[in-house]
Amino acid sequence: MEQNFELLAQSRANYYTKGSPIQFVRVELLKGDVTGEVAVCLTFKNVAPQPVSGLVVRFKCKSPAGALLCEDEYYYEGIAAAQGDLFGADDAVYVSDSAVGSVEVDLEQAFLTDGSALQLGGYKRVRLPAPKALPAPLAASLCQRVGKEGLSIVPQVVEGGWYCACGAFHPKEEDSVYCSECGCDRILLQNSLSTLLQQGREPAAEPDEPTRVVSGMRPEEPTRMMPKLTEQQKFAQSYRSRTAEPARQEEWDEEGNARPYSGRAGQSTSQFELDRPEEDCSDEADETAEKIIRWAPPITAGLCALVVAIGFLLYQFVL
């Protein structure tokens, strides 16, 4: 029995796997128009120079209430994915007759076209800063300027890579300025957006009539009426305040606010998100800072006591 599937929801990964040749990109939920079953489809990307012929992943699906629906492995084979290629979206890893609320994905093993295998379980997940949405008028202008559709995210460089205006994240391991999903050039996007922000500046409105001077009173400076800022002007002011630095910079500053990207910038959603174990996305820098704060006072006190003892011994020896 053939049936068509409609998109219920999709969510981009809000983390990347540092150093891994394979990156998990997004998950989609599709609903059959005949049976009403929900199909779970996962999308991955090869960021390594070597073509990939197979991939083994482990996934876990949960209901909206958090109950485990399914936990299993899936083997993608015969894919022949070159560097930058997306794959996996055409295969349903799980079909359920009930609603799916979250999906957790673990990369296990990749197979290259030369016959070698790569173990992926040791690569650490790193949480991504949240992509920032463009105001609707500015997004429409950017789409028209670069000749692309669906550009609704601020193109920006972050610590682990860069965000394209289409919402795709590209880790440093991919080593490219071109988006593998929409084909945009990162530098062109940033320059185009900067030009649009410059063109969007509007001068302050002048008063219609000069201020009257009453005899015997000191004339005052006319009151200037400031026009109400549009959403695009507010965004421009916010962008300039974030990126203002003494030296000119080509890349965009990191905003640093973490949140899952669940299609909130124009994507279809229905109370669905990726399941993200906290232990896989822990911040080593925070742990190091906590250790320094915890051990700095006793270490400092011990060093001071040692200096005092050495000074006392030297004093006794001299006497």
Side-chain angles (χ1 to χ4, degrees):
M1 178 178 58
E2 295 185 0
Q3 62 177 330
N4 297 319
F5 288 86
E6 63 172 330
L7 180 64
L8 286 181
Q10 70 175 1
S11 176
R12 287 188 178 273
N14 74 329
Y15 65 87
Y16 75 102
T17 312
K18 187 175 183 180
S20 175
I22 305 296
Q23 297 290 329
F24 173 49
V25 176
R26 65 176 176 265
V27 57
E28 295 175 311
L29 300 184
L30 305 175
K31 183 178 180 180
D33 59 357
V34 177
T35 64
E37 294 177 324
V38 177
V40 178
C41 298
L42 309 176
T43 300
F44 302 89
K45 179 176 11 179
N46 176 27
V47 300
Q50 302 87 353
V52 175
S53 61
L55 175 68
V56 179
V57 301
R58 173 163 287 276
F59 66 93
K60 184 185 298 183
C61 298
K62 296 180 181 180
S63 69
L68 181 64
L69 298 176
C70 175
E71 182 176 6
D72 201 356
E73 285 187 342
Y74 191 85
Y75 179 25
Y76 297 88
E77 54 184 341
I79 52 180
Q83 186 177 28
D85 286 351
L86 301 174
F87 63 92
D90 295 333
D91 297 326
V93 300
Y94 176 63
V95 177
S96 172
D97 56 2
S98 58
V100 177
S102 65
V103 178
E104 177 184 338
V105 181
D106 290 316
L107 305 175
E108 293 195 343
Q109 195 174 23
F111 301 94
L112 306 181
T113 53
D114 61 6
S116 60
L118 301 175
Q119 301 301 322
L120 306 178
Y123 294 106
K124 181 180 177 58
R125 294 180 182 179
V126 179
R127 190 180 297 275
L128 290 171
K132 192 171 186 63
L134 287 168
L138 188 57
S141 298
L142 182 62
C143 290
Q144 183 178 10
R145 188 175 186 87
V146 301
K148 301 286 184 179
E149 296 295 331
L151 306 182
S152 58
I153 300 298
V154 177
Q156 59 177 327
V157 175
V158 296
E159 183 177 354
W162 61 282
Y163 274 113
C164 178
C166 70
F169 175 75
H170 301 274
K172 290 181 178 179
E173 290 82 1
E174 193 170 351
D175 193 25
S176 175
V177 296
Y178 296 97
C179 178
S180 56
E181 296 192 31
C182 71
C184 284
D185 182 319
R186 174 174 63 84
I187 305 301
L188 175 62
L189 281 174
Q190 293 176 224
N191 292 340
S192 298
L193 183 55
S194 296
T195 301
L196 290 173
L197 291 175
Q198 291 291 335
Q199 294 175 350
R201 294 182 180 180
E202 297 180 5
E206 296 293 337
D208 296 334
E209 298 181 359
T211 303
R212 296 181 179 180
V213 179
V214 181
S215 178
M217 297 183 63
R218 180 181 176 181
E220 300 292 340
E221 175 71 16
T223 301
R224 294 181 179 270
M225 302 299 295
M226 299 300 293
K228 184 178 180 180
L229 295 179
T230 64
E231 289 298 321
Q232 179 170 336
Q233 289 172 316
K234 291 178 181 178
F235 175 84
Q237 288 186 353
S238 174
Y239 166 69
R240 288 194 292 270
S241 66
R242 291 198 312 272
T243 58
E245 290 188 9
R248 181 182 178 183
Q249 54 182 20
E250 295 182 352
E251 302 191 342
W252 294 49
D253 295 336
E254 177 182 350
E255 191 67 18
N257 300 318
R259 70 133 174 91
Y261 178 73
S262 301
R264 291 178 176 82
Q267 301 291 346
S268 173
T269 61
S270 61
Q271 299 300 320
F272 169 71
E273 63 177 9
L274 293 172
D275 204 0
R276 301 167 301 279
E278 291 298 328
E279 59 271 20
D280 290 339
C281 302
S282 59
D283 191 342
E284 295 180 356
D286 291 342
E287 294 177 2
T288 303
E290 291 178 1
K291 291 179 180 179
I292 292 175
I293 294 173
R294 186 186 306 117
W295 291 107
I299 292 175
T300 303
L303 291 175
C304 291
L306 181 61
V307 171
V308 172
I310 293 175
F312 178 75
L313 291 177
L314 291 176
Y315 176 76
Q316 295 293 333
F317 179 78
V318 172
L319 292 179

